[in-house]
Amino acid sequence: MTQDEWRSVKATLPNGPTGHLTLALWLADVALLAAAWVLWLAGGPARIAALVLATLALIHLYLILHEALHGAASRSRACNEAIGHLCGWIIGLPYLPRRRSHLGHHAWTAHPTRDPENRKMIQKFSVMTERGARTLEFIWRHWIPMMAFNHFLSHWIAPFLHRDTPAHRAKSNTEIAFSALYLAGYAAVGALAYRAGVLGSLIAFSTILWIVLLMAVELLNLPHHAEIPLLADDAARPPLWEQDVVSHSCANVPLWSR
């Protein structure tokens, strides 16, 4: 694709932050979570409805987080950042490390060593033993969302690893500070739940939902990114209008991942 072709296609697509609509959707998702929590506390069959509502809300919050990563959640940078952090806090995925990784993925799409997403996969699978391959097959066959779990966990660990230059250390310190705020928020909610006598219910509710979210993330992301053509190790960063060479048809990808 040439630069002019890319620009003509881009001109036909919606562009820019969605503003108040995204904020309204975020508030609706939070309201759904609150309603789901009330239903969960009611017990009995209501808990099934609670899990359905909360699952829909969490998946949607994961998608809104993606919009915030690209600065598209709001025209206000402060509002965009707030939405991103709140989504990240609710689903357990730190916003700042995720943004760094995701934007790096877009900048270096399909590069074996510079694309943060590809690099992790290649480093893991290139040294996999036969036993490791059997374990991975067992995990996939039994719908265990191990890759999504590692995806979430890696963003909690990343700030402690990305410290090779003063600039990187400064960013990492900010990421660590916000991660600490996330943990403080979880502790505060846990303390309130304990005082209200519902800590056990909260842990059960959150654990089930988080596992379901991990399964959804694995189903959404894994097929979509599988079999993407890779660039050469010494390839330059491809401009946006040439990234079609490392794209692939989604015709054979499950409908939910397109």
Side-chain angles (χ1 to χ4, degrees):
M1 180 180 291
T2 66
Q3 185 174 4
D4 289 339
E5 289 172 336
W6 177 78
R7 284 177 172 169
S8 65
V9 171
K10 186 174 183 291
T12 66
L13 302 174
N15 190 30
T18 52
H20 299 307
L21 178 59
T22 301
L23 181 58
L25 289 173
W26 182 86
L27 290 172
D29 288 329
V30 173
L32 273 180
L33 280 176
W37 173 239
V38 172
L39 289 172
W40 180 263
L41 291 178
R47 290 192 167 181
I48 297 175
L51 292 176
V52 171
L53 290 178
T55 297
L56 291 174
L58 286 184
I59 293 174
H60 202 209
L61 288 172
Y62 181 81
L63 298 176
I64 292 176
L65 171 67
H66 176 264
E67 298 306 299
L69 297 175
H70 289 281
S74 173
R75 290 179 174 83
S76 164
R77 181 175 179 179
C79 185
N80 187 88
E81 297 292 281
I83 290 174
H85 279 295
L86 289 169
C87 286
W89 182 77
I90 291 171
I91 67 176
L93 182 60
Y95 171 67
L96 293 180
R98 177 58 185 150
R99 181 173 64 184
R100 172 162 52 84
S101 172
H102 187 67
L103 295 184
H105 166 62
H106 278 289
W108 290 96
T109 298
H111 196 285
T113 59
R114 292 183 178 269
D115 180 343
E117 303 298 330
N118 274 330
R119 183 174 65 243
K120 295 172 189 174
M121 298 279 284
I122 291 171
Q123 288 173 345
K124 182 71 174 178
F125 294 151
S126 62
V127 295
M128 183 171 289
T129 63
E130 184 177 342
R131 180 179 179 182
R134 289 198 303 269
T135 301
L136 184 62
E137 183 178 1
F138 175 86
I139 287 171
W140 282 350
R141 283 182 179 274
H142 292 82
W143 291 61
I144 301 172
M146 183 57 67
M147 295 184 71
F149 175 79
N150 286 333
H151 167 71
F152 274 61
L153 180 62
S154 68
H155 289 89
W156 286 95
I157 298 173
F160 298 96
L161 305 177
H162 193 67
R163 304 178 64 84
D164 52 337
T165 67
H168 287 168
R169 283 194 292 273
K171 288 184 179 180
S172 294
N173 288 339
T174 302
E175 293 171 355
I176 290 170
F178 273 98
S179 294
L181 287 176
Y182 283 28
L183 294 175
Y186 297 141
V189 171
L192 290 173
Y194 177 78
R195 292 190 64 180
V198 294
L199 180 59
S201 291
L202 179 62
I203 292 174
F205 183 62
S206 302
T207 301
I208 294 171
L209 284 177
W210 200 58
I211 292 173
V212 172
L213 175 64
L214 291 180
M215 293 179 68
V217 169
E218 190 130 334
L219 286 170
L220 286 167
N221 280 337
L222 188 58
H224 179 69
H225 289 90
E227 299 181 359
I228 290 179
L230 294 178
L231 297 169
D233 287 353
D234 58 351
R237 174 175 168 176
L240 293 174
W241 51 89
E242 292 181 4
Q243 289 193 359
D244 59 311
V245 300
V246 290
S247 300
H248 67 127
S249 171
C250 290
N252 296 320
V253 172
L255 180 63
W256 60 78
S257 185
R258 295 183 188 177

